[in-house]
Amino acid sequence: MSRIFSGVQPTGNLHLGNYLGAIRNFVRLQDDYECIYCAVDMHAITVWQDPQQLKNNVREVAAAYLASGVDPEKSIIFAQSNVAAHAELAWIFNCVARLGWLNRMTQFKEKAGKNRENASLGLYAYPSLMAADILVYKATHVPVGEDQKQHLELTRDIAQKFNNDYGTETFPLVEPLIFGEATRVMSLRDGTKKMSKSDPSDYSRIALTDGPDEIAKKLKKARTDAEPLPEKMEDLSERPEAANLVGIYAALADCTKAEVLAEHAGSQFSSFKPILTELAVEKFGPIGAEMKRLMADPGHVDAVLKDGAERAQALAEPVIREVKETVGFLVS
Ligand code: AMP
Ligand code: TRP
């Protein structure tokens, strides 16, 4: 049996990359699998979060799932901190994972920056909590953007070492699901940098809640080069900004990058950008509008989160019990 788990950090500024790389795929998987989707607030506080803002951001992630089409009847939507088993299993995994493994994590290096001594211990242990998120449900498949690949390899290492150390087959080896034409959306200001929530420039990303005017303005200002679109994919390889816009177009239009080039080869960006804008507004506009509607009256979102937490808790309970038994804790 396959079970899907994924999470998004409630750190504000949800963007096109989150949608195309992850959330859209969450929606596509729910017809065929049992799916569990989380707002990972415990991961969020590995760097400072304003408490009031954090509450709103958790609701924003849930609203984004709902507005994108995750069905709360079929799939589970909940906040990580509401199911204590995540933290319990994370501690056990902290005792399984090796310092050497965590030292290799590139996301820690990027987020900690130069002043590593001042990073939180939680930021360092982040991947161990992520492994717990997934494995506390014995999930088998994890839809994410490309940047999470290394964390999922670590999840497999932790599962394997746990199984070996205790001589059990408790945990499955999870498979990443990284699919679509935009698994790594780049910044609109710099095609060599990932589109991210924390970029200081609002013009670097299209937010899920941006209206038609903002989308148009940001795409108009998006950095490009002076050449028209090429015919062949190889001719995009040295042109990161052009490749990014073609990838975004392909993902939104549900076709391949090669098909976009077949249709638009020879176009200047001055004519390609308005077509891309129209497509983005058509696909994105309704999602942003629905998110705003849900956020204006969070009663519904809160009810979905509460129901989701109860269902998630019921699934996690037997697994954490089994793990505690295996480790040798006295279980009452
Ligand atoms: P985060 O914003 O780090 O919580 O990421 C939530 C999900 O969005 C994860 O599955 C990420 O891999 C994915 N994601 C984040 N940024 C991008 C991006 N620029 N392109 C594609 N996927 C992304
Ligand atoms: N680390 C992920 C990110 O930054 C968020 C995350 C936390 C996650 N736990 C997870 C993703 C479990 C997939 C599965 O995007």
Side-chain angles (χ1 to χ4, degrees), residues 3 83 85-86 136-137 311-321:
R3 186 181 271 173
V83 179
H86 290 243
V136 84
Y137 302 100
R311 286 154 65 198
Q313 158 78 28
L315 295 177
E317 177 57 31
V319 180
I320 193 70
R321 238 188 130 74

Side-chain angles (χ1 to χ4, degrees), residues 54-103:
L54 180 61
K55 288 188 184 179
N56 279 331
N57 288 341
V58 169
R59 294 183 175 120
E60 189 197 27
V61 168
Y65 291 166
L66 293 169
S68 303
V70 175
D71 176 352
E73 303 274 317
K74 272 193 221 156
S75 304
I76 294 178
I77 296 175
F78 77 109
Q80 184 187 34
S81 62
N82 288 350
V83 179
H86 290 243
E88 293 183 286
L89 186 57
W91 180 260
I92 294 169
F93 284 171
N94 284 344
C95 304
V96 173
R98 305 288 94 181
L99 288 179
W101 301 356
L102 289 154
N103 284 337

Side-chain angles (χ1 to χ4, degrees), residues 249-283:
Y249 188 102
L252 288 171
D254 247 318
C255 66
T256 63
K257 292 191 203 88
E259 283 167 338
V260 178
L261 292 185
E263 197 179 330
H264 295 284
S267 291
Q268 295 290 344
F269 282 103
S270 55
S271 56
F272 183 68
K273 279 179 170 181
I275 303 172
L276 175 58
T277 301
E278 203 178 310
L279 182 63
V281 169
E282 178 197 322
K283 300 280 174 181

Side-chain angles (χ1 to χ4, degrees), residues 9 15 17-18 21-22 144-145 147-148 183-185 194-195 197:
Q9 294 190 71
H15 54 71
N18 296 131
V144 281
D147 60 346
Q148 295 303 309
T183 56
R184 186 175 172 83
V185 177
K194 192 175 68 167
M195 184 178 284
K197 293 166 174 164

Side-chain angles (χ1 to χ4, degrees), residues 145-207:
E146 216 167 85
D147 60 346
Q148 295 303 309
K149 217 170 156 182
Q150 194 185 36
H151 284 158
L152 291 176
E153 279 158 19
L154 188 89
T155 300
R156 290 168 67 98
D157 291 340
I158 290 177
Q160 196 146 38
K161 182 159 163 51
F162 182 97
N163 289 350
N164 279 344
D165 286 354
Y166 291 100
T168 61
E169 284 178 23
T170 310
F171 294 118
L173 296 186
V174 300
E175 295 286 344
L177 295 176
I178 301 173
F179 62 96
E181 289 292 320
T183 56
R184 186 175 172 83
V185 177
M186 308 310 279
S187 157
L188 298 180
R189 307 297 284 161
D190 177 352
T192 64
K193 270 182 21 199
K194 192 175 68 167
M195 184 178 284
S196 100
K197 293 166 174 164
S198 56
D199 193 309
S201 166
D202 260 348
Y203 279 93
S204 69
R205 63 185 159 256
I206 294 178

Side-chain angles (χ1 to χ4, degrees), residues 101-152:
W101 301 356
L102 289 154
N103 284 337
R104 288 196 285 274
M105 295 295 113
T106 52
Q107 185 170 302
F108 174 76
K109 290 181 201 163
E110 277 160 25
K111 284 202 180 177
K114 287 200 186 76
N115 196 359
R116 203 178 290 188
E117 296 285 306
N118 198 37
S120 74
L121 182 54
L123 188 66
Y124 189 71
Y126 180 114
S128 167
L129 176 60
M130 178 162 161
D133 294 339
I134 300 164
L135 294 173
V136 84
Y137 302 100
K138 299 194 182 186
T140 52
H141 294 82
V142 183
V144 281
E146 216 167 85
D147 60 346
Q148 295 303 309
K149 217 170 156 182
Q150 194 185 36
H151 284 158
L152 291 176

